[in-house]
Amino acid sequence: MLDQPLASLRKLRVEFQTKEGPVVGVEDVSFDVNPGETVCIVGESGSGKSVSSLSLMRLVEFGGGRIAGGELLFDRGDGKGMIDVSKAEENVMQTIRGNEIGMIFQEPMTSLNPVFTVGRQLTEGLRVHMGLSKAQATERALDLLRQVRIPEPERRLTQYPHELSGGMRQRVVIAMALACEPRLLIADEPTTALDVTIQAEILALIDRLKRETGTAVLFITHDMAVVAQMADRVVVMFRGNKVEEGPVEQIFENPTHDYTKSLLAAVPKLGEMRGKPAPEPMRLMGDGGGGALKIAPVEDKVLLDVKNLVTRFPVKGGLLRRTVANVHAVEDISFQVKAGQTMSLVGESGCGKSSCGRSVLRLIEPVSGEVWLDGKNIMEFGSEDLRLARREMQMVFQDPFASLNPQMKLADQVAEPLLNYGVSSASERNDRVAALFDRVELPQSFMSRFPHELSGGQRQRIAIARALALNPKLIVADEAVSALDVSVQAQVLNLLMELQAELGISMLFISHDMAVVERVSHNVGVMYLGRIVEHGPRSAIFEDPQHPYTRALLSAVPVADPRQRKSERDLNFKPIPSPIFPIDHVTEPSIYDEVSPGHFVLQGNWGGFDR
């Protein structure tokens, strides 16, 4: 380590102008980033962690912010000492951004240009900053895509952002940030939308880059397990202020501030459910935490029975746009969900788990298979019968902002299902909505608000209240907590578990977070390339995994302990094969071995994972 830091924030103050006057986003924050060091900034949404990093690139000014005080020092490595970027000319900032300071943004869809191909966007920075020819830039772009483990990189260069999954878009953004090998890499929640395997590889990639090139990393996250894996030093932020700073071991083993203690307490840890028969609530600050739920008495009956479900999407090509191949999204899947229990589907992005959840509700039409809900096969229903059946099955989507109408008041959105099905009178509907707001622990004063006036966690509670409005028997929760802060995630998970215990609701819980799945599930199905490769009781999957893919998935989960870091040698992942097959492709049926009561493992070689 050199004596002089690479970047230094000194008494930073950032203000945002609003109708009500200036709002302070960051107040008196100071910390250093040394060459070759990883500094993690942690805190909940609104704590000011992203504003601090955006200030260092002077991007906060483009979002209505103003650097109202302090210094932002950066060493450009030209022997002239540190410059204060808060006072630098715009043309100097243009050479620094992307070239000397790289940035990985949290939301990949907004940081990629929808009208340009991935190849054009990847090569642009290389040609501007590094002076490469078109052919050299293309070759470097392909190399970057391989580094971030994107399958079929040549094809991806010609595609547009909307043609890629969320996880793939995020990997493209990471490749763009790494392109010019910057001196400082700012990573703003770079793995929030990624599954555990891709996350593990991206973290290992950033760590390797740091070791090989001496790049310093300013890593912003709310995932304490990622902090334990990556950080040398940790800065904890709360409401625009730094409340604690120290080496990573000290922060995890001896936190001094109450807020740091509450953050660490809310982290679900893989393995802490070992030996426990049923799901348990998450620990929250001040509630003592944990403890078994008071389960509503339910009959031991199967509510949802999915048999041999197949869902495929056509791939069009040629002048006449004929179907030339099919994406095998869901391939011969069977599972059951018992009344009052939770079945979780886990796997990497693109494995088909969301398609499976939507196919069960017939939001996507399956090609074949049976879906029995409470003794009725909904695959045989016409449109009117299906509409009536939807009263008993509801969905909570991953992005609550996208699933709520920005122009409707929250009370109207929660009441909408009741209105659609003509349930009760206007006054009874109002009482029901007020009761639902109480049930999801939101004040009734929120009923007249709009979605943009709420935080992410509050919006997700509205989505849950709306899903509960018709007293459904089944809720499909598709990545319902993946984008939430750790403490908000704990509150929403506890809410779902309490509602299940009180009302006897069954849940199909779709997630890529193995620690969360271990907390909430009764049964688990592990998906890979459209098939369930292993399924059974939660304890069997987590304590005695049999399929090599399940083992690889569990080995990639970061542990919230800086003394148990994963190395790249621990990660044993093969490139994900393409799920696209010719029209005439004949698939083999899924055949399982029962290795213990209720614990089934797929036979044979599937996608390169051989048993």
Side-chain angles (χ1 to χ4, degrees):
M1 294 266 176
L2 299 176
D3 291 334
Q4 180 172 296
L6 180 68
S8 184
L9 281 72
R10 307 236 176 109
K11 297 187 177 298
L12 175 67
R13 181 182 176 88
V14 180
E15 295 177 353
F16 292 86
Q17 289 301 324
T18 66
K19 289 176 187 171
E20 286 78 33
V23 171
V24 178
V26 169
E27 184 180 0
D28 191 23
V29 167
S30 303
F31 61 86
D32 294 337
V33 183
N34 295 311
E37 181 184 41
T38 300
V39 175
C40 281
I41 308 181
V42 295
E44 296 182 33
S45 300
S47 65
K49 54 188 192 296
S50 291
V51 171
S52 302
S53 66
L54 287 169
S55 300
L56 197 51
M57 290 180 80
R58 291 259 304 277
L59 292 173
V60 74
E61 295 166 4
F62 296 94
R66 183 176 72 87
I67 297 168
E71 293 178 306
L72 296 164
L73 305 176
F74 178 64
D75 179 6
R76 300 188 67 186
D78 53 10
K80 295 179 183 176
M82 302 183 88
I83 69 161
D84 186 352
V85 296
S86 67
K87 298 179 176 65
E89 298 291 329
E90 183 55 32
N91 62 337
V92 175
M93 290 310 302
Q94 284 175 2
T95 60
I96 290 176
R97 290 186 197 121
N99 191 27
E100 295 170 43
I101 304 179
M103 179 106 187
I104 303 169
F105 293 95
Q106 179 173 1
E107 179 42 69
M109 201 58 200
T110 54
S111 54
L112 291 172
N113 192 323
V115 300
F116 293 136
T117 62
V118 166
R120 164 112 184 238
Q121 296 184 63
L122 257 177
T123 55
E124 184 180 25
L126 292 165
R127 297 183 71 183
V128 168
H129 291 302
M130 300 181 81
L132 301 184
S133 68
K134 188 174 182 181
Q136 288 171 323
T138 302
E139 193 51 47
R140 170 84 173 129
L142 282 170
D143 187 44
L144 286 162
L145 291 183
R146 289 188 196 105
Q147 273 189 40
V148 295
R149 197 169 157 261
I150 286 187
E152 304 173 272
E154 291 83 2
R155 188 160 153 255
R156 303 296 171 212
L157 285 182
T158 61
Q159 290 183 309
Y160 290 88
H162 72 269
E163 297 179 271
L164 306 181
S165 72
M168 277 195 197
R169 285 198 291 262
Q170 188 62 294
R171 282 180 272 169
V172 169
V173 171
I174 291 166
M176 286 169 69
L178 299 179
C180 297
E181 297 184 353
R183 291 167 60 73
L184 173 64
L185 180 66
I186 300 174
D188 187 1
E189 305 268 14
T191 59
T192 299
L194 304 182
D195 5 281
V196 60
T197 53
I198 309 292
Q199 170 177 280
E201 291 190 336
I202 293 299
L203 295 179
L205 173 74
I206 292 172
D207 204 44
R208 192 175 75 233
L209 176 95
K210 183 187 88 169
R211 287 196 314 273
E212 290 174 359
T213 65
T215 298
V217 181
L218 184 59
F219 203 101
I220 296 149
T221 184
H222 60 248
D223 187 333
M224 297 305 283
V226 169
V227 174
Q229 175 72 18
M230 294 295 289
D232 296 311
R233 270 188 311 118
V234 181
V235 174
V236 183
M237 288 189 68
F238 180 60
R239 293 185 181 166
N241 288 284
K242 181 179 81 173
V243 295
E244 191 164 355
E245 179 182 1
V248 63
E249 288 91 355
Q250 181 187 318
I251 295 291
F252 274 80
E253 291 165 15
N254 189 25
T256 55
H257 197 277
D258 285 346
Y259 178 67
T260 313
K261 292 174 185 172
S262 70
L263 267 183
L264 289 165
V267 178
K269 297 177 186 69
L270 200 63
E272 64 185 355
M273 293 296 289
R274 185 177 284 269
K276 296 178 180 177
E280 284 187 5
M282 307 278 289
R283 288 189 301 276
L284 294 172
M285 186 69 177
D287 69 352
L293 291 159
K294 296 177 180 65
I295 305 294
V298 288
E299 324 127 66
D300 184 26
K301 72 164 190 176
V302 173
L303 178 79
L304 178 71
D305 192 0
V306 177
K307 298 178 180 176
N308 309 110
L309 191 67
V310 176
T311 301
R312 294 174 186 164
F313 302 111
V315 177
K316 307 283 186 183
L319 280 172
L320 301 174
R321 306 293 292 158
R322 289 199 177 101
T323 300
V324 293
N326 285 306
V327 178
H328 289 223
V330 178
E331 198 58 51
D332 195 20
I333 276 185
S334 303
F335 62 87
Q336 295 180 336
V337 184
K338 288 193 170 180
Q341 291 196 359
T342 297
M343 164 80 181
S344 290
L345 291 177
V346 294
E348 298 179 75
S349 55
C351 71
K353 55 189 187 298
S354 289
S355 296
C356 180
R358 290 167 191 237
S359 300
V360 163
L361 300 183
R362 277 183 65 186
L363 297 174
I364 297 171
E365 281 299 330
V367 174
S368 61
E370 300 173 17
V371 179
W372 294 83
L373 182 72
D374 210 9
K376 299 173 194 152
N377 184 7
I378 65 167
M379 295 301 294
E380 296 174 350
F381 286 179
S383 56
E384 189 52 39
D385 287 338
L386 182 61
R387 184 176 177 276
L388 292 173
R390 289 245 164 90
R391 288 186 62 165
E392 300 188 340
M393 49 185 190
Q394 290 289 313
M395 187 151 190
V396 180
F397 293 94
Q398 177 172 0
D399 183 352
F401 198 70
S403 62
L404 295 173
N405 186 329
Q407 296 176 316
M408 282 176 72
K409 289 183 178 176
L410 298 175
D412 296 335
Q413 306 211 40
V414 174
E416 196 173 21
L418 301 167
L419 202 62
N420 284 348
Y421 286 90
V423 178
S424 61
S425 65
S427 64
E428 288 171 332
R429 277 198 299 274
N430 289 340
D431 292 344
R432 172 83 178 134
V433 169
L436 284 165
F437 269 73
D438 290 341
R439 177 52 69 68
V440 298
E441 293 167 13
L442 284 177
Q444 291 184 18
S445 60
F446 278 29
M447 289 169 66
S448 59
R449 290 192 182 186
F450 291 90
H452 72 269
E453 298 178 275
L454 270 60
S455 71
Q458 289 168 337
R459 285 198 287 263
Q460 198 59 287
R461 286 164 186 264
I462 293 294
I464 293 167
R466 186 175 60 181
L468 291 171
L470 293 165
N471 289 326
K473 294 176 181 172
L474 173 73
I475 286 182
V476 177
D478 184 7
E479 300 275 17
V481 295
S482 66
L484 304 180
D485 297 323
V486 61
S487 52
V488 179
Q489 171 181 280
Q491 291 165 13
V492 172
L493 287 172
N494 284 0
L495 172 67
L496 286 170
M497 286 189 270
E498 284 160 17
L499 292 168
Q500 182 177 55
E502 285 173 33
L503 308 173
I505 296 170
S506 300
M507 261 200 301
L508 181 60
F509 190 86
I510 296 163
S511 179
H512 61 249
D513 190 326
M514 301 296 280
V516 165
V517 164
E518 189 187 27
R519 262 286 170 180
V520 304
S521 311
H522 295 84
N523 295 287
V524 178
V526 180
M527 282 189 72
Y528 179 66
L529 263 187
R531 294 199 192 225
I532 291 180
V533 295
E534 184 168 4
H535 68 96
R538 181 204 67 219
S539 56
I541 299 295
F542 282 90
E543 294 167 29
D544 185 27
Q546 295 287 318
H547 198 278
Y549 179 70
T550 311
R551 290 179 187 148
L553 208 56
L554 287 166
S555 73
V557 178
V559 182
D561 181 349
R563 299 189 190 278
Q564 295 183 40
R565 293 190 170 181
K566 300 273 192 293
S567 72
E568 268 190 289
R569 290 190 303 278
D570 301 331
L571 306 176
N572 178 27
F573 290 106
K574 304 170 173 68
I576 302 170
S578 171
I580 299 172
F581 295 95
I583 300 175
D584 55 1
H585 179 77
V586 178
T587 56
E588 296 177 10
S590 301
I591 301 170
Y592 294 89
D593 293 326
E594 188 169 11
V595 292
S596 63
H599 185 183
F600 296 90
V601 187
L602 186 68
Q603 287 183 5
N605 183 318
W606 181 242
F609 280 92
D610 197 5
R611 267 194 77 232

